[in-house]
Amino acid sequence: MSAVRVLGGQRSRPLYSPWVAAKADKTAGLDLRMLRAVQPRSGYTPDFLTPPPKASRARFETEIARVRSTPLHQVRAELIQSRDGRDNPGAPAINRMLEDPAAAREGFAVEIEAAWHALIEPDWPMISRVLEDDIAYRGQQLTSGGLAKLFDDLHPTLSWENDQLITSQFREQDRELTGEGLLLVPGVFGWPYLVVITAPEYQPTVVYPARGAARLWSDAPAPPDSLATLLGRTRATLLVALDPPATTSALAAQYGLALATVAEHLAALYGAGLVSRRRTGHQVHYRRTDVGQAVVDASIG
């Protein structure tokens, strides 16, 4: 949904220009009129289109099934709320959707599926590694400094004060957590905005820009010649590419290399102390160590 909004120009920023240009051919044939009608420049977009995930690594098929199973009274109520928001130019289209909420619900699901397959799925290995690294970083912040440190750099509009999470962006949307907890969801297409879900039907949720997302939309830097001479071109490329951290499969997909080749080079870098590795679920993420960073910095200097 955030990617569709970027394409529609509602959240256009220079950050996303390379991505928009790269997806031009695929977006030319996409019909996203329903989704765009419920994405006003400011105001409410129906929450049933983006239900807060119930698992940290939810599958797309599971989440789109949840959209399709939204109760029709909820679909209708949220469409009306979007229609009646501040000067929503999509109001006439939403009125037509309200004539048959079941058909509208299915139409939204079809457009979301098309957007997923064209815009997100091909890049998911790279996107997911940014999200995984952000989640790991936030966990470290919480462990080392509690909620105050966690929210200190999550977003400029957020602050933790007197057991309350305060955001200057949505002051009218108060929600007592009363033991429900707060779901934090990193995203790569929403910069520099927050998305806050406070409706009582949903898990309280904050969607925030993930750290390192900007690197997704720029070309990976080539290794300095001096570093390539020292380590070999492929090994140097992989060392420089570990920003943000990455898995073997993500690097293989990004550079068109065989998995075994990437694994061999990463093992050599690990053995030399230039990279470390951390297991997250079934995946192993590699990152540069302080020594590895010093080697990269020295070769650039």
Side-chain angles (χ1 to χ4, degrees), residues 160 162-166 172-182 196-205:
W160 181 256
N162 301 320
D163 292 334
Q164 290 184 322
L165 181 62
I166 308 297
E172 71 279 8
Q173 298 182 22
D174 292 340
R175 174 77 180 268
E176 293 287 342
L177 297 184
T178 60
E180 294 179 85
L182 179 67
V196 177
I197 298 178
T198 58
E201 297 86 358
Y202 301 97
Q203 169 79 33
T205 301

Side-chain angles (χ1 to χ4, degrees), residues 219-238:
D219 294 333
D225 289 339
S226 57
L227 187 64
T229 300
L230 175 67
L231 300 177
R233 177 67 59 181
T234 301
R235 200 164 290 176
T237 297
L238 295 176

Side-chain angles (χ1 to χ4, degrees), residues 79-123:
L79 285 176
I80 291 173
Q81 184 176 349
S82 180
R83 179 198 65 185
D84 295 345
R86 290 172 286 182
D87 301 321
N88 185 354
I94 295 175
N95 278 329
R96 292 190 292 272
M97 298 175 202
L98 287 167
E99 296 173 3
D100 189 346
R105 180 181 62 184
E106 178 60 22
F108 281 124
V110 169
E111 289 192 8
I112 292 172
E113 284 179 321
W116 161 261
H117 292 304
L119 306 177
I120 308 300
E121 188 177 28
D123 300 324

